[in-house]
Amino acid sequence: MGRYISSSEAIWRIFSFPIHEREPSVQHLAVHLENGQRVYFTEENILQRAFETPKTTLTEFFTLCQKSDVFGQFAKTLLYTDVPRYFTWNKIGKKWEPRKQGKPHPSIPGIFKAKTLGRLYTVHPKQRECFFLRLLLVNIPGPTSFEYLRTVNDRVFNTYQDACCELQLLEADNHWDLTLADAALTSTPNNIRQLFAIILTTCFPTQSSTKSMSKFRFHTRDV
């Protein structure tokens, strides 16, 4: 037996009208640490994959921002998530290409805007450096490299977390220092050490805050 459909749906299908559509389109954007791309290889191309770094939407965004032409200069004004609005991702050539259709830019010829949305893959906070890299990507326009993202006020930081702290993208951790100081008034050193361990393992304090908390003398009063 066939499936029953209403007369309106039957007419819609007879005239081959579109049944459904998806708008706007969504472009997924890679997020990974330097040389942390996912690599697929076989026995035939294992050597080629080992010596050639795979291109991703992120690495090619850096390449696009390094260009000196009008497209590169315009890309330097964009956040990573805004790139798909003005550029399309060539899956075969593995590169960003300027759009040829859409709403023309009011002041820059050759630039067209579409409704495409850019979506960065989610990163769990436990993957600390990758998580902070993602945070920088949604706040810093036109990066040209991974090192560029770690550079704040002409100072290159060793980690993305330190760069986020310098840009004040993270909350201060002074409350953990105050928590331990308050516990020192009423708790035993053993309980304080347990609290200190809980803060380190579950609350993810910054490195500077960790150094500050480790200086409390009441940690070792009974040792």
Side-chain angles (χ1 to χ4, degrees):
M1 296 180 62
R3 181 174 66 88
Y4 173 81
I5 60 176
S6 64
S7 57
S8 58
E9 183 179 353
I11 292 297
W12 197 271
R13 290 180 178 274
I14 290 174
F15 285 99
S16 301
F17 292 149
I19 301 299
H20 62 84
E21 61 182 12
R22 181 182 297 176
E23 187 183 10
S25 59
V26 178
Q27 172 68 55
H28 292 287
L29 302 174
V31 181
H32 57 80
L33 297 176
E34 188 171 7
N35 296 323
Q37 300 95 314
R38 182 173 295 179
V39 179
Y40 299 94
F41 60 89
T42 62
E43 293 182 357
E44 290 75 19
N45 65 2
I46 184 171
L47 292 178
Q48 178 184 2
R49 293 295 187 183
F51 290 101
E52 293 183 5
T53 304
K55 297 179 180 180
T56 66
T57 55
L58 178 56
T59 58
E60 290 309 294
F61 176 45
F62 295 153
T63 302
L64 177 63
C65 293
Q66 293 170 6
K67 295 182 178 180
S68 58
D69 57 12
V70 62
F71 300 112
Q73 294 302 312
F74 178 73
K76 285 188 66 64
T77 66
L78 301 176
L79 292 172
Y80 187 30
T81 52
D82 294 332
V83 176
R85 292 182 180 272
Y86 302 92
F87 297 85
T88 59
W89 176 246
N90 186 327
K91 293 183 178 180
I92 299 178
K94 299 294 183 181
K95 61 181 179 179
W96 290 105
E97 296 178 343
R99 291 190 176 275
K100 299 180 180 179
Q101 296 180 344
K103 183 179 180 180
H105 194 279
S107 58
I108 305 178
I111 299 293
F112 297 91
K113 181 180 180 180
K115 296 181 180 180
T116 305
L117 301 178
R119 287 290 179 266
L120 276 71
Y121 284 103
T122 303
V123 179
H124 196 279
K126 287 188 176 181
Q127 300 177 6
R128 298 176 67 85
E129 278 301 275
C130 195
F131 177 82
F132 293 119
L133 168 63
R134 186 182 188 278
L135 182 59
L136 291 171
L137 286 171
V138 298
N139 284 278
I140 298 179
T144 56
S145 65
F146 288 99
E147 182 177 310
Y148 182 99
L149 291 169
R150 300 197 312 271
T151 304
V152 182
N153 297 326
D154 297 327
R155 178 184 175 187
V156 181
F157 289 87
N158 294 326
T159 66
Y160 299 105
Q161 181 178 358
D162 291 339
C164 288
C165 291
E166 184 69 16
L167 291 171
Q168 298 182 352
L169 298 177
L170 303 177
E171 294 182 356
D173 286 341
N174 295 335
H175 52 286
W176 299 126
D177 295 338
L178 297 176
T179 299
L180 288 174
D182 183 64
L185 300 176
T186 57
S187 302
T188 64
N190 181 58
N191 290 338
I192 296 174
R193 286 195 295 270
Q194 291 181 1
L195 176 61
F196 181 63
I198 291 173
I199 293 175
L200 290 180
T201 56
T202 63
C203 301
F204 306 109
T206 61
Q207 184 177 3
S208 58
S209 179
T210 303
K211 292 180 180 178
S212 176
M213 290 187 294
S214 64
K215 294 179 181 179
F216 282 104
R217 296 180 179 179
F218 46 72
H219 286 177
T220 57
R221 285 179 181 174
D222 60 342
V223 177

